[in-house]
Amino acid sequence: MDVGGNGGGLAINNKQRAMLPNKSRGEFIRNQRKDSEGMSESPDLEFDYADTDKWTAELSELYSYTEGPEFTINRKCFEEDFRSHVPEKKWTELDAAQHRAHAMQLLDGLEVIRREKRLNVARAILYMAQGTFAECSCEAEVQHWVRYNIFLLLEVGTFSALVELLNMEIDNSAACSSAVRKPAISLADSTDLRVLLNIMYLIVETVQQEDSADRPEWRAIRDTFQAELGSPLYNNEPISVMLFGMVTKFSTGHAPHFPMKKVLLLLWKSILFTLGGFEQLQNIKVGKREELRLPPLPEDSIRVIRSMRAASPPASASDLIEQQQKRARREHKSLTKQDNLDAFNEKDPYKADDARDEEDDHDDNDNALETEPFPIERDDVMPPPIPHPPSERVSFPKGLPWAPKVREKDIENFLESSRSKFIGYTLGNDTNTVVGLPRPIHESIRTLKQHKYVSIAEIQILKEEEFQKTPLSGVSCNNPCGFNSLYQGILPGLPQYMIALLKILLAAAPTSKAKTDSINILADVLPEEMPTTVLQSMKLGVDVNRHKEIIVKAISAVLLLLLKHFKLNHIYQFEYMAQHLVFANCIPLILKFFNQNIMSYITAKNSISVLDFPHCVVHELPELTAESLEAGDNNQFCWRNLFSCINLLRILNKLTKWKHSRTMMLVVFKSAPILKRALKVKQAMMQLYVLKLLKVQTKYLGRQWRKSNMKTMSAIYQKVRHRLNDDWAYGNDLDARPWDFQAEECALRANIERFNSRRYDKAQSNPDFLPVDNCLQSVLGQRVELPEDFQMNYDLWLEREVFSKPISWEELLQ
């Protein structure tokens, strides 16, 4: 194969280019030019993908709209307690010492035995965490006091007390059994839990938001809290493990009253705060590559994706029919007005070329109904097209967005096939000997080695293989304690945690139908009294849909963060989690999620801005009408839904990358039409991950599919990173890799179990490799504690076991 460089054109070789039909080649060039020039029917979505949405949006999503009346209850509880101690002043008028004294007094109130009194104190603390909004005149002022009060609460030790109370509520068997027996669970059943989780979430979400105006002591508090949150200080395990336990208990039906949306949000923000977000991941990756003495990353993937532009989506069937009718009318007009067209062409030949391009482009749409000869047949019956100067016809982008990559295995395979073809023998894993190979092969090998990429995962796998060969050599574990303590904490229950998260995700997916046996995720959104008017029903409908969207957002973010951090920490931690996600049917579940009108989901308006916190506690609530609820907001799209979709696509990419058996699952579950519909969303990042998923399965979809979807194929060429000698688009050597799902997964499972048992299971360590003390002096010198009854009857034991037994000293000496 002739492998060329990446000088700024397309990273496809001549053989691959020749296999494209002439008509498709023209479309490929035109699509590149149109995308590079930004010619599109609708504008791109101005979406900035980040770890989280804006701080105010993240705070507002904590509360359901049915919780609105509780803001007033919290305020009342605080003011009753505050006036009994400071009757004449407002909270905002006190100095720092008085603020601290009152916070300490509230903290002491959490230790009372009476549940009602304890709940009132917790509500007063929640009102503080909500910014004592009754004394504020605008939203900015509320945000200021939220931040001030939360650092004050954290300083006096409120979070540890809340964790202890949360543990008590989790173990409250009376509440669990009462909820299980109830036919319908409502908001009232989870009041205590919701108040505690609200305070904890507000603390974690606020403290993790860095602000340049923060005081030095606040930064110190932040660093200390971050370290404590990720270490096993709470009940000898990180708080994330405790929250995972709540998720499992809820999904198994033992605690249906748990407010699952708040648990998942707190779990997500705890992991994000302790482990770090996407930019921290990139920095850790750069540092690890330097530590392992690997070449630096060819580019910053976050910046590359942000600079990419969306491609025009493939046309639908109705669009194709309409375009055919337009083309027929244009052809009829061209026959009657030829003279005018000729005159126009003489005036501006470049515009004539553009017009001709547009007509050809309509012919080249993804139309499976129009058949065309195969490339060889076309070349036989048709003369070659007249070449045009590149400056007139083609406007290539300056360069591809990604530097091409090659694996060591790809170079080995290329050399093996070249040697067997030209020389007739092979040399195993030798990638340096090129004796007897023609000069073009030498150039290809040089190009492949120039773009060789060694990942951190490959180094980790090699180290594990070396350790299996020499187990007595030991292994050093230099990984940060935050990753390992979290992994070690969730390791015993990780399969159940993954199943629980996917069960909740299935119940929250808009494509799921209501079933009697599915879990009820609406326990913390349904009011005690169901709505009686149309307006109340509409408001509750918006609230329920919003509730489900937030759950999907939290679960997708949790799964993606864990996968990325585990992969960077150690590849077998990632593979363990990924394998259990696959076993729990994560791949078909995500495909089921995308098997909907994805544009409707992304542009859904399931929010009522006047009811969002902190707007609803500062401004007077206007009268809601059915028309205002139907209209929704003026945003172009829903941030959380687009965020969730990108996260789920990234998870699907991580599960299937370099896994042949899982790629075949994409083919078996007919994911291509589902993913192709997702390309209608004009957002570059989402399109990139959809195109990646299409690329890995293209060779298995058949020639007719590739021929009918040339617009999608050209988008893959332009947007996705190139593997220089990957024939993804042509389906060669398909029979060489049979689909043996069990063999591939079982081999991986064996490696994972060896890794886990060696690092984290001290009880099952190999007894052959444990140190043995054979020194007589050290054995006799050990102090042995004898039981009391033995000491009382020691004389009898000596007489029976020693003196009365005949001993043959001669035999002992021999």
Side-chain angles (χ1 to χ4, degrees):
M1 183 183 289
D2 181 18
V3 180
N6 181 27
L10 300 173
I12 59 171
N13 54 39
N14 294 331
K15 176 184 173 184
Q16 292 171 341
R17 190 187 296 275
M19 289 181 71
L20 290 171
N22 292 333
K23 185 175 178 182
S24 303
R25 270 182 269 167
E27 183 199 359
F28 172 62
I29 292 168
R30 281 189 298 278
N31 281 342
Q32 284 214 329
R33 185 182 65 192
K34 286 177 73 175
D35 286 337
S36 63
E37 293 173 357
M39 295 172 64
S40 56
E41 296 78 9
S42 58
D44 292 2
L45 299 181
E46 297 295 330
F47 174 73
D48 185 18
Y49 184 76
D51 296 313
T52 62
D53 201 352
K54 295 174 184 175
W55 183 43
T56 51
E58 296 294 339
L59 292 184
S60 68
E61 288 182 357
L62 174 64
Y63 309 102
S64 302
Y65 295 145
T66 46
E67 289 182 84
E70 296 192 11
F71 289 119
T72 308
I73 300 174
N74 299 339
R75 172 188 170 185
K76 184 179 177 183
C77 290
F78 175 83
E79 289 179 348
E80 285 177 358
D81 183 82
F82 186 68
R83 283 171 188 160
S84 64
H85 293 86
V86 190
E88 300 171 355
K89 289 189 176 182
K90 294 182 178 180
W91 173 261
T92 52
E93 296 171 353
L94 302 182
D95 59 22
Q98 292 172 311
H99 283 153
R100 182 182 172 85
H102 190 71
M104 293 284 287
Q105 179 263 323
L106 284 176
L107 187 59
D108 292 339
L110 285 178
E111 298 179 5
V112 298
I113 297 174
R114 285 181 55 211
R115 174 180 288 272
E116 295 170 5
K117 173 68 175 171
R118 201 166 59 232
L119 176 61
N120 288 339
V121 173
R123 283 191 179 279
I125 293 175
L126 176 56
Y127 176 72
M128 276 182 64
Q130 289 168 343
T132 53
F133 49 80
E135 301 174 23
C136 302
S137 57
C138 63
E139 294 181 32
E141 201 174 339
V142 174
Q143 292 169 27
H144 164 77
W145 283 104
V146 164
R147 197 163 184 81
Y148 175 86
N149 292 344
I150 277 174
F151 275 102
L152 174 65
L153 290 171
L154 200 55
E155 187 182 355
V156 298
T158 309
F159 197 84
S160 301
L162 294 171
V163 173
E164 291 178 12
L165 287 175
L166 184 61
N167 260 321
M168 285 174 50
E169 292 298 331
I170 293 170
D171 297 333
N172 187 350
S173 56
C176 293
S177 57
S178 171
V180 169
R181 288 194 301 269
K182 278 192 173 185
I185 303 171
S186 67
L187 203 65
D189 296 301
S190 59
T191 302
D192 291 359
L193 281 165
R194 282 187 296 106
V195 171
L196 296 175
L197 289 167
N198 281 343
I199 305 170
M200 294 169 73
Y201 177 87
L202 287 170
I203 290 175
V204 174
E205 172 61 22
T206 304
V207 173
Q208 77 159 343
Q209 299 281 344
E210 293 190 70
D211 192 339
S212 57
D214 282 350
R215 307 170 186 174
E217 58 267 26
W218 285 7
R219 293 177 189 173
I221 291 171
R222 181 182 187 276
D223 294 340
T224 306
F225 181 55
Q226 185 177 19
E228 289 178 354
L229 203 61
S231 57
L233 294 180
Y234 306 108
N235 203 18
N236 293 324
E237 59 188 15
I239 190 172
S240 304
V241 180
M242 184 176 73
L243 296 171
F244 267 121
M246 291 184 72
V247 173
T248 308
K249 202 171 179 182
F250 171 82
S251 68
T252 53
H254 294 121
H257 66 297
F258 280 1
M260 200 35 53
K261 183 188 82 171
K262 297 180 190 297
V263 173
L264 291 167
L265 284 173
L266 180 57
L267 175 62
W268 168 32
K269 294 306 170 66
S270 300
I271 294 172
L272 178 63
F273 184 37
T274 54
L275 301 186
F278 301 132
E279 291 191 8
Q280 289 92 333
L281 274 162
Q282 187 76 2
N283 296 334
I284 296 170
K285 191 173 184 179
V286 170
K288 278 210 165 192
R289 291 187 69 84
E290 289 179 1
E291 185 183 328
L292 295 170
R293 297 180 181 176
L294 293 173
L297 293 168
E299 68 274 303
D300 186 341
S301 56
I302 296 175
R303 292 181 182 175
V304 172
I305 293 174
R306 284 176 178 168
S307 64
M308 291 175 71
R309 301 186 64 180
S312 299
S316 61
S318 58
D319 296 336
L320 294 173
I321 295 171
E322 185 180 347
Q323 286 165 3
Q324 285 178 350
Q325 294 171 350
K326 287 181 180 178
R327 187 172 66 247
R329 287 197 295 270
R330 265 202 312 275
E331 288 172 355
H332 178 70
K333 289 180 181 178
S334 64
L335 291 173
T336 57
K337 299 185 178 180
Q338 188 65 42
D339 294 338
N340 293 339
L341 279 176
D342 289 341
F344 179 75
N345 289 346
E346 288 175 5
K347 292 177 184 176
D348 197 341
Y350 297 100
K351 286 190 177 179
D353 283 344
D354 286 345
R356 193 159 54 247
D357 285 345
E358 288 180 16
E359 291 189 9
D360 291 342
D361 187 62
H362 290 301
D363 291 337
D364 295 336
N365 276 311
D366 301 352
N367 190 358
L369 301 176
E370 291 185 4
T371 59
E372 60 178 37
F374 292 132
I376 298 175
E377 296 170 353
R378 272 188 77 114
D379 292 340
D380 290 341
V381 299
M382 295 181 66
I386 301 171
H388 290 265
S391 59
E392 296 181 10
R393 292 287 297 170
V394 183
S395 175
F396 283 120
K398 291 181 179 179
L400 294 167
W402 306 100
K405 283 182 181 178
V406 180
R407 294 186 299 169
E408 180 76 19
K409 187 178 177 182
D410 297 331
I411 301 175
E412 291 173 7
N413 293 339
F414 177 70
L415 266 170
E416 287 295 284
S417 62
S418 300
R419 286 175 186 141
S420 61
K421 178 179 178 181
F422 291 103
I423 304 173
Y425 67 89
T426 59
L427 293 176
N429 296 333
D430 186 346
T431 58
N432 296 317
T433 305
V434 292
V435 176
L437 296 176
R439 186 175 296 278
I441 298 297
H442 291 203
E443 294 176 3
S444 296
I445 294 166
R446 190 162 55 249
T447 305
L448 287 172
K449 287 186 175 181
Q450 180 185 347
H451 294 99
K452 187 173 102 171
Y453 177 79
V454 180
S455 67
I456 297 171
E458 291 175 67
I459 303 295
Q460 291 170 341
I461 291 172
L462 287 174
K463 285 185 177 179
E464 288 299 314
E465 290 174 355
E466 288 174 10
F467 183 82
Q468 294 302 328
K469 295 173 186 175
T470 57
L472 291 176
S473 62
V475 61
S476 61
C477 184
N478 299 321
N479 299 320
C481 64
F483 302 126
N484 285 323
S485 61
L486 176 60
Y487 182 75
Q488 196 165 358
I490 68 174
L491 179 61
L494 191 137
Q496 289 75 31
Y497 299 155
M498 296 303 105
I499 291 170
L501 286 175
L502 293 182
K503 281 177 71 174
I504 299 169
L505 180 62
L506 175 63
T511 51
S512 297
K513 295 180 174 61
K515 294 181 181 178
T516 53
D517 58 344
S518 65
I519 53 178
N520 176 21
I521 58 171
L522 305 178
D524 53 331
V525 70
L526 296 177
E528 287 185 90
E529 297 180 2
M530 294 306 287
T532 54
T533 65
V534 175
L535 187 63
Q536 290 175 345
S537 300
M538 289 180 67
K539 178 184 168 185
L540 183 60
V542 171
D543 204 5
V544 166
N545 290 335
R546 174 177 176 266
H547 183 80
K548 289 181 177 180
E549 290 172 2
I550 295 168
I551 287 177
V552 173
K553 171 187 175 182
I555 292 177
S556 66
V558 166
L559 292 177
L560 180 61
L561 268 179
L562 286 178
L563 285 172
K564 287 187 74 67
H565 275 288
F566 285 157
K567 186 173 184 181
L568 200 50
N569 193 39
H570 200 286
I571 183 64
Y572 284 137
Q573 293 178 349
F574 162 80
E575 295 290 5
Y576 185 57
M577 179 179 169
Q579 195 167 63
H580 280 292
L581 283 173
V582 173
F583 291 164
N585 284 331
C586 183
I587 292 175
L589 171 56
I590 294 178
L591 293 175
K592 178 183 174 69
F593 180 88
F594 279 95
N595 193 19
Q596 59 171 313
N597 187 338
I598 205 70
M599 276 302 296
S600 297
Y601 184 71
I602 283 171
T603 56
K605 299 186 183 300
N606 290 315
S607 60
I608 307 170
S609 57
V610 293
L611 297 180
D612 285 338
F613 179 86
H615 185 279
C616 63
V617 295
V618 177
H619 305 284
E620 287 189 13
L621 181 65
E623 185 179 353
L624 293 174
T625 62
E627 291 76 15
S628 64
L629 291 181
E630 285 179 357
D633 52 29
N634 297 323
N635 294 332
Q636 188 184 12
F637 57 89
C638 177
W639 196 97
R640 63 173 167 266
N641 289 354
L642 188 47
F643 176 77
S644 302
C645 289
I646 293 176
N647 286 346
L648 291 172
L649 288 169
R650 295 183 75 181
I651 292 166
L652 204 51
N653 269 287
K654 289 198 169 297
L655 296 182
T656 55
K657 189 175 183 181
W658 303 121
K659 300 288 190 301
H660 176 63
S661 57
R662 298 177 192 174
T663 301
M664 291 306 297
M665 289 177 72
L666 292 177
V667 179
V668 169
F669 289 122
K670 295 181 170 55
S671 65
I674 296 172
L675 294 169
K676 191 181 167 189
R677 282 200 298 273
L679 287 174
K680 291 183 179 179
V681 180
K682 293 205 66 180
Q683 205 282 323
M685 191 171 195
M686 182 167 170
Q687 285 186 348
L688 173 68
Y689 290 110
V690 171
L691 293 171
K692 280 186 173 185
L693 289 167
L694 286 170
K695 178 184 176 181
V696 296
Q697 56 177 315
T698 299
K699 64 168 69 176
Y700 307 108
L701 297 176
R703 180 169 182 173
Q704 186 58 43
W705 187 92
R706 297 194 292 273
K707 190 173 151 188
S708 305
N709 291 274
M710 287 309 298
K711 196 167 187 178
T712 305
M713 298 284 283
S714 61
I716 293 173
Y717 270 121
Q718 190 180 12
K719 304 286 184 187
V720 182
R721 188 191 302 277
H722 292 272
R723 299 276 170 176
L724 288 182
N725 52 354
D726 181 14
D727 60 345
W728 62 272
Y730 305 101
N732 299 327
D733 301 326
L734 290 184
D735 296 332
R737 299 184 64 195
W739 183 28
D740 190 351
F741 177 82
Q742 288 188 342
E744 190 175 337
E745 295 292 343
C746 286
L748 179 61
R749 182 70 175 271
N751 291 332
I752 294 168
E753 286 181 350
R754 280 195 293 268
F755 168 80
N756 284 337
S757 62
R758 179 172 59 79
R759 289 211 180 191
Y760 304 105
D761 193 357
K762 301 300 181 186
Q764 294 191 5
S765 54
N766 193 331
D768 296 336
F769 299 139
L770 291 176
V772 178
D773 188 358
N774 294 321
C775 179
L776 188 63
Q777 292 296 327
S778 64
V779 171
L780 291 175
Q782 290 178 2
R783 182 175 179 83
V784 179
E785 295 290 338
L786 298 172
E788 186 178 349
D789 57 344
F790 179 82
Q791 293 178 16
M792 292 173 63
N793 300 304
Y794 181 62
D795 295 337
L796 291 173
W797 180 85
L798 273 177
E799 182 65 34
R800 187 178 71 246
E801 299 293 336
V802 180
F803 299 143
S804 64
K805 297 270 184 182
I807 299 172
S808 176
W809 295 103
E810 290 79 7
E811 290 183 13
L812 281 174
L813 290 172
Q814 289 174 2

